[in-house]
Amino acid sequence: MPLLHISMRAGKPEAYRQAILDGLYCAMREALNVPEGDEFMTISELSPANFRCGNAYGVKRSDDAVLIQITVFASRTPEQKKALYRRIAELLGDNPGIRPEDIFVNVLDAPAENWSVGNGVAQFA
């Protein structure tokens, strides 16, 4: 049950944004065994004045940087997360053509009782 928030500079065409969503969904299906149809993702497009990425940690980022925050059940292993990072970089590199240096991923672990996927019910608690 991942929940994704993607932040990027405004101005990319719809096909570019859809390729990001499709690539992330594919990477999660492969690396985290996310079920089919489990797609809860948003993209926020920000003006240059409201979006800043530095070049810390020896990574030279461009204006095409994408910040991806993924909240998941606190059950994923470090190996699964590493596989996810690699697969995201591969898929988003292929389409829409984002450089690996411009892909910033943060995975947040949340206990199952912190989720309600509808109807006011804690389905996983």
Side-chain angles (χ1 to χ4, degrees):
M1 171 49 61
L3 176 63
L4 279 76
H5 297 290
I6 301 118
S7 298
M8 58 188 284
R9 286 189 185 210
K12 297 294 185 187
E14 180 180 343
Y16 186 95
R17 297 187 311 274
Q18 290 303 309
I20 291 172
L21 294 172
D22 292 344
L24 290 171
Y25 177 62
C26 182
M28 290 188 308
R29 297 256 305 140
E30 292 176 13
L32 302 181
N33 300 312
V34 170
E36 185 174 341
D38 193 341
E39 299 180 67
F40 300 93
M41 301 180 270
T42 62
I43 292 182
S44 297
E45 295 184 275
L46 304 160
S47 69
N50 293 318
F51 187 87
R52 184 185 301 181
C53 286
N55 291 319
Y57 308 104
V59 180
K60 187 165 173 72
R61 296 172 188 86
S62 75
D63 289 344
D64 289 331
V66 177
L67 306 180
I68 302 163
Q69 189 167 63
I70 306 171
T71 306
V72 296
F73 288 146
S75 61
R76 299 317 201 282
T77 67
E79 292 76 24
Q80 285 178 302
K81 292 174 188 176
K82 290 175 185 178
L84 177 67
Y85 306 145
R86 281 191 303 275
R87 195 64 179 131
I88 288 172
E90 291 168 359
L91 290 170
L92 297 188
D94 290 343
N95 187 25
I98 302 172
R99 299 173 337 128
E101 298 90 344
D102 287 328
I103 300 170
F104 183 105
V105 182
N106 171 235
V107 174
L108 302 172
D109 295 318
E113 67 269 13
N114 287 10
W115 299 80
S116 172
V117 297
N119 298 320
V121 176
Q123 288 88 348
F124 307 103

